[in-house]
């Protein structure tokens, strides 16, 4: 390749040429809408650190699900924002088959059966210490937590959840949940493992959304990954695949594109990326201040996920992206 026989500017001259040679595209099929459900009726509670994202009561969530489906988005991930009165040290509400998330899932499934539903498996929406596992004498117990997570997965799947997404980062949970599902005749339910999940500052607004602000005792560094590591991410992913994960996730998104790329190129398995609450908040805050071109940066970010190798993107801005794609 030498100038002047090669001129890389030649195919950049017009939009139709640029479209022809584009290597990556974002489509509505790449999107997973993420959002929060709260107890009540006709409620849309604003989340201060996540402008334009709300905690929705179940009826509002159903309406949202209908809109998400009408936009062509294949799936949604729902997180329960519990009243703090319902939280306790063991997170016992997590395994109640009639809890908020189970009722939300069954209402959405009934109203919009063709929309995929993804549920987290982790105890943090349910514990008063806001950790993802059982906390005893300042330590997170691994194997005891995994037993509860299996029960949590079962109640959520029985409510209508299609894809179980363990976000707790306990060792061995994917294999145990796979076995629990299989033993109960639920072998067709999928597991999307939060395989490479980092102990990240970018989850701050999410904890506000779950009413967990200020309740987290210590940090999550004994189970979530050190941002300094990438080889370890590949080991996490390899183990989750061996234990039966159908898809794996990297989280957060934009600061971890190198991990997305390595996971996809190493394993060639469906690889999802989560544009987390702090990423959303940064984008939204700058946009609201008029400091950035909001639409352009949103689409450029989505494209960067695709370029890195992501097959799907969990994002609070999924409806915005779908609407921009429809233009
Ligand atoms: C719970 C969970 C978290 C997120 C998704 N599931 C928070 C955490 O691990 O502390 C974060 C999502 C976001 O920030 O948008 N285990």
């Amino acid at each position: 390749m030498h100038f002047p026989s090669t001129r890389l500017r030649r195919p950049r001259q017009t939009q139709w040429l640029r479209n022809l040679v584009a290597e990556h595209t974002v489509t509505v099929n790449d999107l997973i809408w993420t959002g929060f459900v709260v107890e009540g009726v006709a409620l849309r509670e604003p989340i201060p650190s996540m402008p334009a994202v709300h905690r929705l009561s179940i009826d509002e969530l159903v309406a949202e699900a209908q809109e998400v489906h009408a936009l062509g988005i294949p799936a949604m991930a729902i997180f329960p924002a519990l009243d703090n009165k319902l939280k306790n040290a063991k997170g016992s509400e997590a395994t109640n088959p009639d809890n908020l998330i189970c009722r939300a899932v069954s209402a959405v499934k009934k109203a919009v059966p063709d929309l995929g539903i993804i549920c987290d498996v982790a105890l943090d929406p349910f514990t008063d210490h806001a950790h993802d596992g059982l906390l005893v004498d300042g330590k997170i117990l691994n194997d005891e937590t995994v037993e509860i997570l299996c029960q949590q997965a079962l109640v959520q799947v029985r409510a209508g959840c299609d894809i179980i997404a363990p976000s707790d980062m306990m060792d061995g949970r994917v294999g145990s949940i796979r076995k629990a599902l299989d033993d109960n005749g639920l072998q067709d339910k999928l597991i999307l493992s939060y395989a490479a999940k980092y102990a990240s500052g970018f989850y701050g607004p999410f904890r506000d959304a779950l009413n967990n602000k200020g309740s987290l005792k210590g940090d999550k560094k004994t189970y979530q990954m050190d941002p300094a590591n990438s080889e370890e991410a590949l080991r996490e992913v390899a183990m989750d695949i061996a234990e039966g994960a159908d898809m794996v996730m990297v989280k957060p998104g934009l600061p971890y594109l190198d991990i997305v790329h390595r996971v996809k190129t190493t394993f060639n398995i469906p690889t999802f990326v989560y544009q987390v609450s702090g990423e959303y908040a940064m984008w939204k805050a700058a946009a609201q201040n008029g400091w950035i071109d909001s639409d352009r940066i949103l689409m450029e970010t989505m494209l960067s996920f695709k370029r890195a190798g992501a097959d799907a993107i969990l994002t609070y801005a999924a409806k915005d992206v779908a609407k921009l794609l429809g233009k």
Side-chain angles (χ1 to χ4, degrees):
M1 284 192 297
H2 289 291
F3 178 82
S5 58
T6 301
R7 286 179 182 269
L8 290 177
R9 286 188 56 198
R10 206 178 282 131
R12 291 181 200 148
Q13 291 177 82
T14 64
Q15 189 60 51
W16 67 265
L17 271 169
R18 293 191 291 270
N19 288 347
L20 275 181
V21 300
E23 296 174 37
H24 298 281
T25 46
V26 179
T27 80
V28 76
N29 289 326
D30 301 320
L31 301 172
I32 297 166
W33 181 90
T34 45
F36 304 97
V37 63
V38 75
E39 211 64 73
V41 180
L43 270 183
R44 297 181 67 86
E45 285 180 8
I47 303 160
S49 51
M50 300 182 74
V53 176
H54 300 86
R55 301 184 197 96
L56 305 173
S57 54
I58 292 178
D59 54 321
E60 291 287 333
L61 180 73
V62 167
E64 193 86 1
Q66 276 155 342
E67 197 189 337
V68 165
H69 182 56
L71 285 165
I73 296 170
M76 61 162 45
I78 324 169
F79 301 92
L82 250 64
D83 194 315
N84 281 335
K85 288 198 298 279
L86 278 174
K87 299 177 185 176
N88 59 32
K90 292 187 166 171
S92 50
E93 184 66 5
T95 54
N96 172 4
D98 199 35
N99 67 15
L100 173 62
I101 186 70
C102 290
R103 278 179 285 121
V105 165
S106 69
V108 170
K109 203 55 188 175
K110 198 170 157 217
V112 202
D114 293 336
L115 180 68
I117 303 182
I118 303 171
C119 287
D120 248 41
V121 159
L123 298 183
D124 60 323
F126 308 96
T127 51
D128 53 12
H129 45 70
H131 277 289
D132 297 24
L134 291 176
L135 180 70
V136 174
D137 297 332
K139 280 197 173 156
I140 300 295
L141 302 184
N142 192 88
D143 301 11
E144 294 80 351
T145 298
V146 170
E147 276 176 41
I148 300 172
L149 298 178
C150 290
Q151 298 307 312
Q152 184 186 17
L154 285 174
V155 298
Q156 292 180 158
V157 158
R158 286 180 177 135
C161 170
D162 304 290
I163 303 180
I164 285 295
S167 75
D168 53 286
M169 289 299 279
M170 297 300 116
D171 289 326
R173 87 276 207 222
V174 172
S176 296
I177 292 170
R178 185 69 271 160
K179 185 170 187 312
L181 293 174
D182 291 357
D183 287 350
N184 285 277
L186 300 164
Q187 61 282 346
D188 290 339
K189 298 293 179 172
L190 292 88
I191 297 180
L192 162 62
S193 163
Y194 283 73
K197 175 170 178 179
Y198 285 87
S200 171
F202 285 93
Y203 308 147
F206 178 94
R207 295 180 188 158
D208 296 347
L210 294 196
N211 303 315
N212 274 348
K213 196 179 185 177
S215 32
L216 181 63
K217 293 212 173 68
D219 57 46
K220 301 193 177 185
K221 292 179 185 171
T222 69
Y223 46 107
Q224 299 180 348
M225 279 187 52
D226 186 340
N229 297 349
S230 47
E231 301 303 329
E232 187 190 350
L234 299 185
R235 295 215 299 277
E236 282 282 3
V237 170
M239 286 184 72
D240 286 1
I241 296 171
E243 289 176 33
D246 299 285
M247 312 106 158
V248 294
M249 194 199 300
V250 175
K251 176 187 175 195
L254 213 47
Y256 295 85
L257 288 185
D258 56 325
I259 308 299
V260 175
H261 186 251
R262 290 191 69 186
V263 167
K264 185 65 192 181
T265 50
T266 305
F267 300 102
N268 211 2
I269 182 179
T271 302
F272 293 7
V273 64
Y274 196 149
Q275 183 189 37
V276 299
S277 57
E279 298 174 67
Y280 173 88
M282 291 187 339
W283 164 70
K284 199 65 173 178
Q288 286 188 332
N289 276 299
W291 293 339
I292 56 169
D293 181 337
S294 166
D295 294 352
R296 187 171 173 188
I297 283 185
L298 180 61
M299 294 312 285
E300 190 174 330
T301 306
M302 295 301 126
L303 197 56
S304 75
F305 292 139
K306 291 300 300 288
R307 204 181 55 240
D311 296 289
I313 304 153
L314 292 97
T315 172
Y316 300 97
K319 287 200 307 175
D320 305 78
V321 176
K323 285 175 191 165
L324 287 169
L325 288 170
K327 273 189 188 162

